[in-house]
Amino acid sequence: LNSLEHTKDPDKAARAKSILDRFIASFPAESGISTIDTQMKDNIQGAYNSVLAACAYTPSNAGDQARNNAARILVETLRDLNNSKVDATLGPNQESFSIFLQGCTHLFQPGSSDRSILMRSALQECCEKGFLTAKIWDKFCNASSDEDVQSFLSGIEKGDGSFATLPSGWKRNASP
């Protein structure tokens, strides 16, 4: 999967998703308790993130069909990671959110409502899970309108809106 991230193949998102689907299908359905070891969870997490990256780095000249397909797979993959049938404790991490925001920036038109809604939703979830980093915040701010950023910050004591002034709870699980 990692090698697909870096190819110029216009259909790499679909190919990566197909590999991920086969990988996930090799695990028994969740039995309600976690039976997968930490190393395997890391491998599964990495596989999901590789699919997100394959989507995010779909070539600009791939054509509308390939880019629309990559955008669909990007959204589906984050949703699937949130609803993992392999292990209930599996979910997006800070890398997942960073790649997802990059994918939204690359695959959706600036100013489009789809891009705005997806980015806000992902950032909200990222903050709720405590994975916000300066890199993620910068990606959101650079790809969003000033109105979207201010709207996201409404209702909190935001200071100047810089990363340092954002709530510490939004950053509690993030690695430097």
Side-chain angles (χ1 to χ4, degrees), residues 5 17 29 33-34 38 45 54 58 61 68 82 85 88 107 109 113 119 121 126 131 139 146-147 149 163 165 171 175:
E5 294 176 33
K17 181 71 163 98
I33 57 170
S34 179
T38 302
Q45 181 77 54
T58 295
N61 63 354
N68 289 339
N82 267 313
K85 292 176 178 49
L107 296 168
Q109 292 296 319
S113 62
M119 290 186 70
S121 176
C126 176
F131 286 123
K139 283 184 182 191
D146 289 341
E147 295 80 28
V149 173
F163 178 74
T165 63
K171 309 168 196 175
S175 300

Side-chain angles (χ1 to χ4, degrees), residues 18 22 32 36 54 72 77 85 95-96 103 114 126 176:
S18 175
R22 289 192 309 263
I36 297 176
R72 179 186 54 77
T77 302
K85 292 176 178 49
E95 182 181 3
S96 310
D114 286 343
C126 176

Side-chain angles (χ1 to χ4, degrees), residues 115-142:
R115 176 172 162 168
S116 178
I117 291 166
L118 289 167
M119 290 186 70
R120 267 188 73 122
S121 176
L123 187 66
Q124 182 67 43
E125 181 183 353
C126 176
C127 292
E128 288 170 2
K129 293 183 178 204
F131 286 123
L132 185 65
T133 63
K135 178 180 175 182
I136 292 170
W137 181 245
D138 288 346
K139 283 184 182 191
F140 177 77
C141 291
N142 291 332

Side-chain angles (χ1 to χ4, degrees), residues 2-65:
N2 286 344
S3 63
L4 276 174
E5 294 176 33
H6 306 289
T7 69
K8 295 185 188 303
D9 178 358
D11 294 318
K12 66 182 174 179
R15 291 179 53 211
K17 181 71 163 98
S18 175
I19 293 168
L20 174 65
D21 289 345
R22 289 192 309 263
F23 180 52
I24 297 302
S26 71
F27 294 95
E30 183 184 0
S31 61
I33 57 170
S34 179
T35 58
I36 297 176
D37 65 41
T38 302
Q39 179 64 42
M40 186 53 68
K41 283 183 192 177
D42 290 346
N43 290 341
I44 295 167
Q45 181 77 54
Y48 275 102
N49 287 346
S50 287
V51 174
L52 291 171
C55 295
Y57 299 111
T58 295
S60 297
N61 63 354
D64 288 345
Q65 183 177 355

